[in-house]
Amino acid sequence: MNLRLVGPTPLPPTVRDALARPMLNHRGPEFAAMQTRIVNSLQHYFQTAHDILLFTCSGTGGLEAALVNLLSPGDAVVAVSIGVFGDRFADIAEAFGAQTHRLRFPWGSAADPDALRAKLAEIKNARAVLITHNETSTATTNPLQELARVAHENSDALLLVDAISSMGAIHLPVDEWGVDVAVTGSQKVWMIPPGLAMVSVSPRAWDAYAHARMPRYYWDFKKMRDAIAKGQTSFTPGVNLYFALDAALDLMNAEGFENIRARHARLAQHTRDGAQTRGFELFADPKFASNTVTALRVPPGVNGKKWRQVLNQTFDTVIAGGQKELTDKIVRIGHLGWVNEAELDACLDAMTAALPYAQAN
Amino acid sequence: MNLRLVGPTPLPPTVRDALARPMLNHRGPEFAAMQTRIVNSLQHYFQTAHDILLFTCSGTGGLEAALVNLLSPGDAVVAVSIGVFGDRFADIAEAFGAQTHRLRFPWGSAADPDALRAKLAEIKNARAVLITHNETSTATTNPLQELARVAHENSDALLLVDAISSMGAIHLPVDEWGVDVAVTGSQKVWMIPPGLAMVSVSPRAWDAYAHARMPRYYWDFKKMRDAIAKGQTSFTPGVNLYFALDAALDLMNAEGFENIRARHARLAQHTRDGAQTRGFELFADPKFASNTVTALRVPPGVNGKKWRQVLNQTFDTVIAGGQKELTDKIVRIGHLGWVNEAELDACLDAMTAALPYAQAN
C-alpha cells in the first residue's frame, strides 16, 4: 500500500523487525541503555542540550503534558492558531483553566509575527505562547524563528511548540530559538508506529514547573525526569516502540540530519511541482508551504471523499482528506519519514487516474 | 529469557508477527473493523454489555482517566489500599483535588469489607470508592465481590476498580458486581506490549460524567466513545498494539475464557506449591493469594537485589523485586499471560540454584 498520510508513516523493514523483538524487563539494564541511546539521539535532532522526556501516548498527550506541567489555572496564554492543531492546543489550555487568548489566522496562511507582537502588547501578562510549528491540517509551516523572537522580545512568556510533524525534518534548533517545550510524535518523521510523544524541556520551563499548579500525575515532568535519570520511566513504557525508535534512529543517524532535512525539502518540492504539472492547485501560501505535507484543492467537479475512496480501493493509495471547514475541499499528501520520489510520483499518478471515477455526482 | 515479571509479559509468536505488520490508515475501514472485533472481545472478558474505551497509555493513564472523567475537585472519595498501586490510585485522586480518604491495610493482607462499611458510614458523602482488584506489589487479590456489595449497600458512590493485573484471568464480572469503571493494561493478561489501557464505563458512570468537572482532554471519555462509534479513536491510536491485541484475543478466544481463568488458578497453585516445596516462604495472606503473581519472602542471609541480579545475568531469568517498604524483603514471580508450568518450574529451580551466589554480605 502507498500510505501517504501525514502520519502514521510507513515502517522501514528494520523497524518492523525491531517491533517484533521479544519483550524485556523495562526496569533492567538493557532498557536503560536503550533509553540513553534514544535520548542522546533525540537531543541531536531537537538541537538541545537539555532534557528530553518520553511519554507513552499520542502527540496530543505530549501537548497536554506541556501545558499542565508549566501553567496554573487562570494563567493567560496566547494561542497562535493557523488550523485544526493550533485550535487543539488552545482547546487543551482552555480545558485546564488557562485564560486562553486565541490569535487565529486564515487557514492556508501562516501566523503573522506583527500580529503576535500586537497581541502580546494587549495581553500584558501572558505566561505562555502556544505555537504550532508545522500545521498538518493546512500543510503550512509557521515562521517559527520570527514568532519566537517576537514572543521573547515582547514578553516573559514561555514558548510551547507543537513540533509533532516537523521535528527532525524541518529546521528547528530548540535551544537557539528559545523553545521552552517542543513536542513531537513517534508516528511522524521518526518512522515508527504511534504511541510515543517526545518532549524537550528547557531550564526556564523547569523554573515554571516549580510554581505550576495545573493538576497532573501521568504527565508529570519531574517524575519522568527522575525516572529517566535511573534508566527507567515514571510508568510502564511502550517497550516495543522503544525497540522501534532505537532502530529508526540508527537509520536516521546513518543518513545524517542535514541529509534528512535536505531530503524532506527536496521531496516537498518534488510533490508540489508534480502536483502542479498534473494540473492540481496548491492550497497553502507558497511562501510557507510545508516540507512534510502538501495540501491540494479538490478539483472542481470532483467529490473529495469519493476521490480518496477510489484511490484506496482501486489504486491501493491512501491520502488524507481535509479536516473541519476544509473537509472535502482539500486533500493532503504526507511526504515525511520513510518515503521517496517514486512513491510520491505513483501517488500523484494514481490521483490523476482516479479523477474520472470521483465525479461530484 | 524466562521473563517472569507481573508485566510486561512474554509475547506469543503470532503476537510478535502482528506487531511487525505494515502500518495502515488509522481512519480507514480496516482499522474500524479491527477495533470493533477488539471491543467485542473485550466486552466478553470484562463481562459487560456496556462501553469499552481504549486509550494509548500505560495502565496508570487508565486510572487517571477513570478519575478525571467522573469526579470534580473537592469530591470525597474513599481509596482502599493494600499496597503500592492502591496508594497510586489515591495519589492520582489527590493530585486532581479530590478529598481523598485513605483506607489502608497492612501489606500482604486484603481489604476488610467491614472496615469499608465503617469508613463509608464515617464519610457520608463519598462520591467514589477506589479499589485495586489485584494488588501487584503484594501479590494479593482483594475480595472485590464483597467490597463491591458493601460499597453499593452503604453509599451511592461510584465503584472504580484497578483491574490492571487481574482482568481476563481472575473472576471479575463487571456488570454483575456493579463496577462502574474497570481498567486493565495491555502488557498483563493480554500478552502484548505495554501502551494500551482498556476501560469499561457503566451507564451510571456516564451519568456522573455529565456533571464531573475535573479537567480533562486526552482522557475524555465522551470524545473517545464518539470516535469509537465512527470506527476511530479520539487521538491517534497505538496502531501496532491494536494489531497485536487483535491477534492475542484470537489466541484467548480459541483457548476459552473459562480455560484461561482455570489455567491461571492452576499456575498460581503450581507456583505456590513449588515455592514451598523448595523451602521458600509465601508473603501474601494465603486466603487472598493472587492468581497472577506470587510474592516470596527473601530468605534470611540472602540479598534480594543480588539474587535478582544473579538470576538475570547467570540464569537468564527475570523476576520482580519488592517495591517501597518491601524493597529487598520480597521477590515476585508473575504467572499471567503467555506462561506454562515448565517455565515456572525453571524459574523456581533457577531461584534455588542462584541462592548460594546471593549472600547478604
Side-chain angles (χ1 to χ4, degrees):
Chain A
M1 186 206 289
N2 198 350
L3 185 69
R4 297 270 58 84
L5 297 175
V6 201
T9 58
L11 310 175
T14 60
V15 167
R16 290 176 55 194
D17 288 347
L19 285 166
R21 277 184 56 189
M23 194 41 54
L24 56 64
N25 176 11
H26 63 303
R27 306 290 195 205
E30 195 185 350
F31 181 85
M34 175 168 64
Q35 183 164 258
T36 299
R37 278 195 303 276
I38 287 171
V39 166
N40 288 345
S41 279
L42 290 176
Q43 284 179 316
H44 174 63
Y45 292 103
F46 278 67
Q47 302 181 59
T48 183
H50 304 300
D51 289 299
I52 299 279
L53 309 179
L54 291 97
F55 291 91
T56 294
C57 63
S58 84
T60 300
L63 299 181
E64 183 164 313
L67 293 165
V68 301
N69 278 285
L70 305 189
L71 297 172
S72 301
D75 277 356
V77 307
V78 173
V80 177
S81 176
I82 62 170
V84 169
F85 292 95
D87 286 352
R88 178 178 294 182
F89 211 175
D91 289 344
I92 305 172
E94 202 162 83
F96 280 83
Q99 192 187 323
T100 307
H101 302 273
R102 292 170 193 252
L103 181 60
R104 301 181 90 222
F105 297 90
W107 290 15
S109 61
D112 173 7
D114 289 333
L116 176 58
R117 184 179 295 110
K119 193 73 170 179
L120 288 168
E122 179 195 333
I123 315 299
K124 291 186 180 62
N125 59 345
R127 288 284 302 140
V129 173
L130 318 184
I131 303 179
T132 316
H133 185 202
N134 186 68
E135 176 56 58
T136 310
S137 71
T138 65
T140 304
T141 304
N142 267 318
L144 183 59
Q145 185 171 16
E146 289 69 28
L147 293 166
R149 186 184 301 128
V150 164
H152 290 311
E153 285 177 1
N154 295 276
S155 76
D156 294 323
L158 296 160
L159 183 58
L160 310 187
V161 174
D162 170 351
I164 292 174
S165 61
S166 64
M167 187 64 78
I170 301 176
H171 191 51
L172 172 46
V174 158
D175 289 356
E176 187 186 326
W177 291 0
V179 174
D180 291 298
V181 174
V183 177
T184 185
S186 55
Q187 77 278 22
K188 303 292 185 180
V189 178
W190 315 98
M191 305 182 289
I192 73 167
L196 285 181
M198 301 85 106
V199 180
S200 66
V201 185
S202 74
R204 216 163 71 107
W206 284 113
D207 291 343
Y209 172 92
H211 307 288
R213 287 178 294 98
M214 281 185 184
R216 70 189 87 97
Y217 192 88
Y218 187 75
W219 308 122
D220 192 276
F221 275 0
K222 186 167 180 302
K223 277 195 188 75
M224 188 58 87
R225 182 172 70 171
D226 291 349
I228 287 177
K230 293 189 290 185
Q232 302 186 3
T233 52
S234 39
F235 309 111
T236 308
V239 173
N240 85 314
L241 297 181
Y242 275 71
F243 294 152
L245 185 53
D246 199 25
L249 287 167
D250 278 350
L251 294 177
M252 292 178 72
N253 296 342
E255 182 175 1
F257 192 11
E258 293 284 340
N259 292 332
I260 293 168
R261 288 207 302 266
R263 174 167 59 83
H264 280 90
R266 195 178 68 234
L267 291 171
Q269 193 61 52
H270 187 85
T271 306
R272 291 189 294 260
D273 291 348
Q276 290 184 297
T277 301
R278 288 166 179 83
F280 297 119
E281 192 184 343
L282 303 177
F283 174 72
D285 181 342
K287 267 180 63 189
F288 300 100
S290 168
N291 278 353
T292 59
V293 50
T294 292
L296 307 179
R297 292 185 192 278
V298 174
V302 172
N303 178 317
K305 190 177 175 185
K306 204 187 285 179
W307 196 18
R308 289 188 296 116
Q309 274 173 352
V310 171
L311 276 169
N312 190 357
Q313 288 162 14
T314 311
F315 294 87
D316 206 25
T317 295
V318 174
I319 61 174
Q323 294 166 287
K324 307 278 178 179
E325 64 192 62
L326 293 174
T327 302
D328 295 336
K329 296 207 165 59
I330 63 168
V331 293
R332 297 172 298 143
I333 304 167
H335 33 77
L336 71 171
W338 194 53
V339 52
N340 60 35
E341 277 88 348
E343 289 162 319
L344 291 164
D345 288 341
C347 176
L348 290 164
D349 285 344
M351 289 169 69
T352 306
L355 275 181
Y357 307 96
Q359 298 307 306
N361 294 310
Chain B
M1 185 206 288
N2 197 350
L3 186 69
R4 297 270 57 84
L5 298 175
V6 201
T9 59
L11 309 175
T14 59
V15 167
R16 291 177 54 193
D17 288 347
L19 284 166
R21 277 183 57 188
M23 194 41 54
L24 56 63
N25 177 11
H26 61 305
R27 305 291 194 205
E30 196 185 350
F31 181 86
M34 176 168 64
Q35 183 164 260
T36 299
R37 278 194 304 275
I38 288 172
V39 166
N40 288 346
S41 280
L42 290 176
Q43 284 179 316
H44 174 63
Y45 292 102
F46 278 65
Q47 301 181 60
T48 182
H50 305 300
D51 288 298
I52 299 278
L53 309 179
L54 291 98
F55 290 92
T56 294
C57 62
S58 83
T60 300
L63 299 182
E64 183 164 313
L67 293 165
V68 300
N69 278 286
L70 305 189
L71 296 172
S72 300
D75 277 355
V77 308
V78 172
V80 177
S81 175
I82 62 170
V84 169
F85 292 96
D87 286 352
R88 178 178 293 182
F89 210 175
D91 289 344
I92 305 172
E94 201 163 85
F96 280 83
Q99 192 187 325
T100 307
H101 302 273
R102 292 169 194 253
L103 181 60
R104 300 181 90 223
F105 297 90
W107 290 15
S109 60
D112 174 7
D114 290 333
L116 176 59
R117 184 180 295 109
K119 193 72 170 181
L120 288 168
E122 180 195 331
I123 314 300
K124 292 188 179 58
N125 59 346
R127 288 284 301 140
V129 174
L130 319 184
I131 303 179
T132 316
H133 185 203
N134 185 68
E135 175 55 59
T136 311
S137 70
T138 65
T140 305
T141 303
N142 267 318
L144 184 59
Q145 185 171 15
E146 289 71 26
L147 293 166
R149 186 184 302 127
V150 165
H152 290 311
E153 284 176 2
N154 295 275
S155 76
D156 293 324
L158 296 160
L159 183 58
L160 311 187
V161 174
D162 171 351
I164 292 174
S165 61
S166 64
M167 186 64 78
I170 301 176
H171 191 52
L172 172 46
V174 159
D175 289 356
E176 186 186 325
W177 290 0
V179 174
D180 291 299
V181 174
V183 176
T184 185
S186 55
Q187 78 277 21
K188 304 291 185 181
V189 178
W190 315 100
M191 306 182 291
I192 74 167
L196 285 182
M198 300 86 106
V199 179
S200 66
V201 185
S202 75
R204 218 164 71 107
W206 284 114
D207 290 344
Y209 172 92
H211 306 287
R213 287 178 294 98
M214 280 186 185
R216 70 190 86 96
Y217 192 88
Y218 187 75
W219 308 122
D220 193 276
F221 276 0
K222 186 167 180 303
K223 277 195 188 76
M224 188 60 86
R225 182 172 69 171
D226 291 350
I228 287 177
K230 292 188 290 184
Q232 302 186 2
T233 53
S234 40
F235 310 112
T236 309
V239 172
N240 85 313
L241 297 180
Y242 275 72
F243 293 153
L245 185 53
D246 199 26
L249 288 166
D250 278 349
L251 295 176
M252 292 178 71
N253 295 343
E255 182 176 1
F257 192 13
E258 293 284 340
N259 293 331
I260 293 169
R261 288 208 302 267
R263 175 167 58 84
H264 280 90
R266 194 177 70 234
L267 291 171
Q269 193 60 52
H270 186 86
T271 305
R272 292 189 293 260
D273 291 348
Q276 290 183 297
T277 301
R278 288 167 179 82
F280 297 118
E281 192 184 343
L282 302 176
F283 174 72
D285 181 343
K287 268 181 63 189
F288 300 101
S290 168
N291 278 352
T292 59
V293 51
T294 292
L296 307 179
R297 292 186 194 276
V298 174
V302 171
N303 177 316
K305 189 177 175 186
K306 205 187 284 180
W307 196 17
R308 289 188 296 115
Q309 273 173 355
V310 171
L311 276 170
N312 189 357
Q313 287 162 15
T314 310
F315 295 86
D316 207 26
T317 294
V318 175
I319 61 174
Q323 294 166 287
K324 307 277 177 178
E325 64 192 61
L326 293 174
T327 302
D328 295 337
K329 295 206 167 61
I330 62 168
V331 294
R332 297 172 297 144
I333 304 167
H335 33 77
L336 70 171
W338 194 54
V339 53
N340 60 35
E341 276 88 348
E343 290 162 318
L344 291 165
D345 289 341
C347 176
L348 290 165
D349 286 342
M351 288 169 70
T352 306
L355 276 181
Y357 307 96
Q359 298 307 305
N361 293 310

